[in-house]
Amino acid sequence: MIQVIRRKLHSIRPYIREDVQVAALLGLVVLIMLLSGAGCPIKRFTGIPCPGCGMSRALLCLARLDIAGALRFHPLSAVMPFAAVLWLLRRVFPQRLLKLLAWLLITALVLCWLLRICSGDPVLAIDIEEGFLYRFIKEVNDVLSELR
């Protein structure tokens, strides 16, 4: 069994560089979002938070070993380090298992999102009037009203 794992790990060696590049790109995107104050692009556009809202702040808390803070920002944040390790080792595990785990994670994210919205979680405050889409539609409606 250990020999099989060693062979598989040796076979993924060429992909490590690609994985590091993807991780660096994701880190850069999160850093830009945090430094610019842009936050979640979905919430900025619609005024409705996405299922992952709070995850960036939660992962920053995890990096500081503040588990309580991480769970406060996103209850599934404790799962993300394991998901990252699985993603890095995705070529070692059977694809069927990875697909199953991905669907379980997506389902958990959506269910968690719905429960948090229904419970009034302050991290997921809905403010449609602050969304770009609402303001755009309102502006177009105001312009059309003036033309009538």
Side-chain angles (χ1 to χ4, degrees):
M1 179 70 172
I2 292 176
Q3 291 295 343
V4 171
I5 293 173
R6 278 189 184 163
R7 270 186 271 139
K8 284 201 174 211
L9 286 174
H10 184 68
S11 70
I12 66 170
R13 194 178 220 162
Y15 301 107
I16 292 174
R17 184 175 182 184
E18 174 186 320
D19 292 343
V20 169
Q21 289 172 341
V22 170
L25 181 62
L26 286 173
L28 181 63
V29 168
V30 169
L31 183 63
I32 289 170
M33 285 173 48
L34 290 172
L35 293 177
S36 69
C40 176
I42 293 171
K43 186 172 183 179
R44 181 157 313 264
F45 186 74
T46 65
I48 302 170
C50 73
C53 274
M55 190 62 77
S56 298
R57 291 171 286 176
L59 293 176
L60 288 173
C61 286
L62 278 180
R64 292 189 308 266
L65 300 178
D66 177 10
I67 309 246
L71 294 174
R72 193 172 44 253
F73 281 118
H74 202 294
L76 294 178
S77 60
V79 176
M80 290 304 134
F82 299 108
V85 169
L86 274 176
W87 181 75
L88 288 172
L89 297 174
R90 68 190 177 278
R91 292 173 186 92
V92 175
F93 295 102
Q95 289 298 308
R96 269 181 89 179
L97 174 65
L98 293 175
K99 284 181 183 180
L100 174 67
L101 292 174
W103 278 111
L104 287 173
L105 181 59
I106 290 167
T107 303
L109 277 169
V110 171
L111 288 174
C112 181
W113 176 64
L114 291 172
L115 288 171
R116 291 171 71 201
I117 286 176
C118 291
S119 69
D121 187 334
V123 175
L124 297 183
I126 296 174
D127 191 358
I128 293 175
E129 292 179 5
E130 284 297 313
F132 171 78
L133 186 61
Y134 175 86
R135 291 186 313 219
F136 177 76
I137 291 171
K138 186 176 183 309
E139 193 68 34
V140 168
N141 192 29
D142 291 347
V143 169
L144 292 175
S145 294
E146 290 177 13
L147 292 175
R148 289 183 196 153

